[in-house]
Amino acid sequence: MSRRFNTAGPCVPAKHYMIPALERLPQGPGLVGQQAYFVVHAPRQTGKTTALRALARELTAQGRYAALYFSCEVGATAGEDYGAASRDILTQIRFNAEDHLPPELRPPAWPVESDASLLQGALRAWARACPRPLVLFFDEIDALRGQSLVNVLRQLRAGFPERENRDFPWSVALCGLRDVRDYKAASGGDPSRLGTSSPFNIKLESLRLGDFTAEEVAELYGQHTADTGQRFAPGAVEYAYELTGGQPWLVNALAREVVEKPQVPGDKMITSGHLEDAKERLILARATHLDSLAARLAEPRVQRILSPVIGGDLLPLDPYNDDLSYVRDLGLIDVNAPVRVANPIYREVIVRVLSASVQESVTANPRSFVRPDNSFDFPKVLTEFAEWWIENGEFLSKGGFYHEVAPQLILMGYLQRVVNGGGSIAREYAVGAGRVDLTIRWPYTTPGGTRDVQREAIEIKTWRATKADPLHQGLKQLDRYLDRLQLDTGTLAVFDQRPSAAAIDERTAITETVSPGGRVITLLRG
């Protein structure tokens, strides 16, 4: 059976291209050897289940431990009924033990206990009966909610001292989307307090499963080349890493979109252009992975972090900022400073989701902005946007939940609507500079058959209360952006968000000005 790029469920070495699972969690065996109770967390679809299952198999196969992986997701439907949650988890443990452990290592009949100590009593009986030290991986632990989660954690904590005499599991890993500090929010506690990891203050380490490195992406794609002979063009693998930031699901989905969907023939190289087209299809298809992230954008905790990031403002990487830790654990932002969206694909998804209502409200026909020679009539776009902004800007700015960056989202949504189908938009959030940079790319063929790519650069800034007019700073920043793009001219959009701003119809205008670098710049004020 030929291997393929996997985007659904755990990876299987015989079926899927994959980075060796144990290489992704190298600290695991050492922590088990220390009798540690620890936490493994990572965003969804990064390979946690694959790594944990492999670690459990390896530990058991070595003959020293009885290690078992299982999911707590079955207990999610129990809600606050912690007895029912414990019974669901114990049922899952028994099923998985029958599938993955030899008979002598499987649990005995569970003892009769009260609901409050059901899990503790069962694990104690199993640890005492098992001829090897017992190692358990509780995956999807944060699927439990309220008192069900608190009860499970408390029972593990109560049994923790007994492990020294082999009267309780030797080592336990709690695995989920979030770090242990966020379990309090899931259990109904105060999510703003990070001073303690209670109710699981026995954890020795908290491990975060990272994204693929550039070398691992090359290794994964190289497996496809080795199996099929199909090569990646120079720069293509590097471009895949740039687009995905190494996020494992995105790395696999991007390649799968190229080799399986509109299949690139095996005798042809996969180019950066193929990957760019695949990226756009993934975004438009709104696959489950991307949809699950998009659903988080309405959460206040996420909004408080992403709003300044979208606006280009600097946000300190404070490890004790609960909102920041939460959004980072979701995988939406990079783990390193400065605070920024994790990768270009997520960046694009975020803006398109947040500006979707704007796109739907734009009635202009995109084809009306195509000139007879098939080039893009960008001056006409700006003129019609200014008229549309006067009519709709105030209403849309006040109606959205990302109101602090509403002008940026509104302009980007309008441009996305009129560019859609013929061109593309590349976005950069200039972190710490208070601006958003956009480049419109419009490939076209003239009636005479000449091919060209038109590029238009736009910088968006806002004028807020207590701040000076950002015009001069914006022109200097735009000069640097145009230098990088090697363009002679561009557009600066400045939106006045001060309470003292003039009426929208009085302040909205399109003029020309000259940048410090001597370029003629189109200035849109709104």
Side-chain angles (χ1 to χ4, degrees):
M1 178 186 296
S2 60
R3 293 189 295 173
R4 58 184 176 83
F5 291 101
N6 183 33
T7 59
C11 288
V12 178
K15 296 180 179 179
H16 305 129
Y17 305 124
M18 59 181 290
I19 302 301
L22 294 180
E23 291 182 10
R24 305 205 59 218
L25 202 61
Q27 311 96 317
L31 288 171
V32 170
Q34 297 176 51
Q35 287 186 278
Y37 279 37
F38 59 101
V39 171
V40 177
H41 69 103
R44 295 201 182 283
Q45 295 180 297
T46 53
K48 294 191 302 298
T49 299
T50 298
L52 293 169
R53 284 162 54 115
L55 180 57
R57 285 195 302 269
E58 179 68 18
L59 291 172
T60 301
Q62 289 173 354
R64 181 177 176 186
Y65 302 104
L68 186 69
Y69 160 93
F70 55 91
S71 174
C72 299
E73 194 168 14
V74 293
T77 57
E80 297 288 335
D81 187 344
Y82 51 80
S86 290
R87 283 188 288 274
D88 288 340
I89 292 171
L90 290 173
T91 298
Q92 189 67 29
I93 287 175
R94 187 171 294 282
F95 287 162
N96 280 29
E98 290 174 356
D99 290 340
H100 301 289
L101 293 177
E104 67 273 15
L105 301 182
R106 294 172 190 169
W110 304 128
V112 177
E113 302 282 351
S114 69
D115 283 356
S117 58
L118 186 62
L119 184 67
Q120 182 182 353
L123 296 185
R124 176 172 14 189
W126 188 10
R128 288 173 171 174
C130 189
R132 300 183 193 173
L134 190 58
V135 179
L136 300 179
F137 297 140
F138 288 70
D139 198 9
E140 302 286 353
I141 184 68
D142 46 5
L144 304 177
R145 287 293 181 268
Q147 289 305 304
S148 291
L149 176 57
V150 171
N151 179 259
V152 168
L153 298 178
R154 284 177 175 166
Q155 290 185 76
L156 292 175
R157 185 173 62 183
F160 176 76
E162 302 176 41
R163 79 199 197 290
E164 295 294 340
N165 299 319
R166 297 274 299 276
D167 288 336
F168 208 65
W170 171 276
S171 179
V172 166
L174 301 184
C175 316
L177 178 68
R178 297 166 295 178
D179 196 355
V180 68
R181 59 163 55 93
D182 221 36
Y183 290 1
K184 286 197 293 181
S187 63
D190 181 0
S192 67
R193 294 173 57 87
L194 280 179
T196 173
S197 59
S198 177
F200 194 67
N201 56 6
I202 54 175
K203 62 112 176 179
L204 181 63
E205 293 283 352
S206 184
L207 308 179
R208 188 182 195 276
L209 200 66
D211 292 328
F212 291 153
T213 63
E215 293 74 20
E216 287 173 330
V217 174
E219 179 184 343
L220 189 76
Y221 285 10
Q223 293 174 19
H224 173 73
T225 299
D227 280 11
T228 67
Q230 185 174 40
R231 295 180 295 130
F232 288 80
V237 174
E238 292 80 1
Y239 187 57
Y241 178 72
E242 177 187 335
L243 288 176
T244 64
Q247 203 285 331
W249 185 89
L250 290 178
V251 170
N252 279 279
L254 198 64
R256 179 175 179 270
E257 192 71 27
V258 171
V259 302
E260 291 188 20
K261 297 292 186 70
Q263 190 173 17
V264 178
D267 59 346
K268 293 189 178 298
M269 286 197 299
I270 296 171
T271 67
S272 296
H274 292 135
L275 295 170
E276 176 67 26
D277 292 342
K279 177 207 77 172
E280 188 66 18
R281 291 194 300 272
L282 282 177
I283 292 171
L284 291 176
R286 290 280 294 275
T288 302
H289 173 86
L290 298 178
D291 244 4
S292 65
L293 287 176
R296 301 280 186 175
L297 300 181
E299 296 180 19
R301 303 173 71 182
V302 175
Q303 180 182 341
R304 286 194 290 267
I305 299 302
L306 289 186
S307 188
V309 170
I310 293 171
D313 295 327
L314 187 63
L315 190 66
L317 194 62
D318 178 1
Y320 292 101
N321 182 324
D322 182 57
D323 293 341
L324 190 62
S325 298
Y326 176 67
V327 178
R328 183 174 54 197
D329 287 348
L330 291 176
L332 281 168
I333 60 173
D334 199 283
V335 297
N336 302 308
V339 179
R340 61 191 183 276
V341 177
N343 58 67
I345 294 179
Y346 286 179
R347 189 167 63 211
E348 190 68 19
V349 169
I350 288 168
V351 169
R352 293 203 196 181
V353 169
L354 295 179
S355 64
S357 61
V358 174
Q359 296 180 48
E360 292 171 0
S361 66
V362 176
T363 58
N365 181 359
R367 297 304 303 171
S368 68
F369 300 106
V370 181
R371 297 187 180 106
D373 65 354
N374 293 325
S375 64
F376 189 57
D377 194 343
F378 188 61
K380 182 180 178 182
V381 171
L382 292 178
T383 299
E384 294 203 10
F385 171 78
E387 296 172 356
W388 184 84
W389 170 257
I390 290 172
E391 294 179 4
N392 302 283
E394 287 189 353
F395 169 74
L396 291 173
S397 296
K398 295 176 181 177
F401 48 91
Y402 279 70
H403 58 87
E404 292 183 354
V405 288
Q408 294 96 316
L409 293 171
I410 290 170
L411 177 54
M412 287 190 282
Y414 189 95
L415 293 174
Q416 188 69 51
R417 173 74 176 90
V418 300
V419 170
N420 194 33
S424 62
I425 301 176
R427 315 170 204 274
E428 297 179 22
Y429 310 144
V431 177
R435 73 178 196 270
V436 180
D437 295 328
L438 311 175
T439 304
I440 295 175
R441 294 185 75 259
W442 184 267
Y444 68 100
T445 303
T446 67
T450 302
R451 293 183 177 181
D452 201 353
V453 177
Q454 180 182 345
R455 293 184 298 157
E456 303 287 348
I458 310 103
E459 181 175 302
I460 311 173
K461 293 188 74 69
T462 55
W463 187 358
R464 297 193 176 98
T466 74
K467 300 288 185 179
D469 187 343
L471 173 61
H472 183 65
Q473 181 191 32
L475 289 171
K476 289 197 299 183
Q477 292 169 336
L478 182 56
D479 262 336
R480 291 195 292 269
Y481 188 45
L482 295 173
D483 283 341
R484 183 152 57 88
L485 296 175
Q486 297 183 319
L487 291 176
D488 295 328
T489 188
T491 298
L492 174 62
V494 178
F495 291 95
D496 195 340
Q497 290 188 291
R498 299 172 301 159
S500 61
I504 193 168
D505 58 338
E506 296 176 6
R507 68 178 189 261
T508 301
I510 298 175
T511 59
E512 286 189 347
T513 187
V514 178
S515 72
R519 293 180 171 93
V520 176
I521 300 298
T522 301
L523 175 63
L524 167 66
R525 284 194 181 271

